[in-house]
Each structure stands twice: as C-alpha cells, then as structure tokens.
Amino acid sequence: MFKYSLVGYDGSVTSQRAFRLAIDLARTCGGRVRVVNAVKLIEGAADTCALVMADSGARRANELMAELKTMAPEAAELIDVEVVSGNPGDVLLQQVQRHGVDHIVIGHTERGALARWLLGSVSTDVLAGSHVPVTVVR
C-alpha cells in the first residue's frame, strides 16, 4: 500500500480534507505524509523571490506544522512539511521524484471555465503529469 503520501496544501477546506485522508492512510499503512505548500510568486525578479522565500519560508513552514497539528495532534510524528516557491502543479510533481512519494492527495476547488483558463487547475496538471496514483478530494 502507500508508504509516503504527498498532500498539496493551501489551507482550503478541500486541502484540509486531503490532509485528513492522507493521515488516515498513513496510519492504516504504516506510512508518512509530506505536506507541501506551494507559493506562486508572480512579481519581482528571481533574486527578490529568493529573498522573500528565505525570509518567510521557515516561518511559514512552522506555522503550517502548527496548523496541521491542530487537525491531527496525535499524528505529528507522521508529517513532513515544506514550503516551496513555484507553480503548484510543477512543485507537487517535482516532490514525487525528489522524495520517493508513492501517492498524491490533492483537493479540488470548483472554478468556472474562465478562471480555469486563466489560472489553470492544479488537480488537472497533477493528474496529467503524475506517474504515481493521485486521489482528488472534493
């Protein structure tokens, strides 16, 4: 079964559901959960983005871990957390390769056709590019 599940987490209700499902799977299978918050920085040069991430990445990771512990306090030892800059879909797919993830759990947020066209869809990107099983939570 799944030993290392990856959750794309943005604080939304569906990402919270995805996290809870991944924790339940980890408990059942004796696995772990990697929670990644992808921060898409749009403005500024690459150097500026690097400075912003260096200054706030560790703080945001600590805040994220605290938030996750409130949802599953007894499962804190099963959770790895990382805050990464980049396109969320790309970040999640890169995490699979870097960390030996064997399952992805992501939330799905309903958007209209125009918003999907303008912003894209993380779940669509991940489903199209993943070589490991993906569970989409609504």
Side-chain angles (χ1 to χ4, degrees):
M1 202 64 190
F2 304 122
K3 290 296 181 186
Y4 202 24
S5 293
L6 171 67
V7 176
Y9 190 86
D10 63 5
S12 67
V13 171
T14 56
S15 70
Q16 291 172 3
R17 285 187 199 133
F19 169 71
R20 287 185 183 106
L21 174 65
I23 287 295
D24 289 344
L25 286 171
R27 284 186 189 127
T28 301
C29 301
R32 295 190 60 75
V33 176
R34 180 170 196 78
V35 179
V36 174
N37 177 233
V39 179
K40 189 171 183 178
L41 299 175
I42 298 171
E43 294 183 24
D47 292 342
T48 303
C49 292
L51 286 172
V52 168
M53 282 304 295
D55 287 347
S56 65
R59 181 176 41 82
R60 175 63 187 130
N62 289 334
E63 291 169 355
L64 178 56
M65 182 57 107
E67 181 179 337
L68 298 172
K69 284 180 180 178
T70 64
M71 288 190 284
E74 70 291 345
E77 72 281 352
L78 301 177
I79 305 168
D80 301 317
V81 171
E82 188 173 5
V83 177
V84 181
S85 67
N87 177 304
D90 294 339
V91 165
L92 294 175
L93 293 172
Q94 291 165 1
Q95 290 282 315
V96 170
Q97 298 299 319
R98 282 193 193 127
H99 299 285
V101 168
D102 60 3
H103 178 230
I104 302 171
V105 186
I106 54 175
H108 175 74
T109 304
E110 275 304 319
R111 290 189 182 149
L114 179 60
R116 253 190 330 276
W117 181 74
L118 289 172
L119 302 172
S121 166
V122 175
S123 58
T124 300
D125 292 347
V126 170
L127 285 167
S130 179
H131 298 291
V132 298
V134 178
T135 301
V136 179
V137 177
R138 289 181 179 261

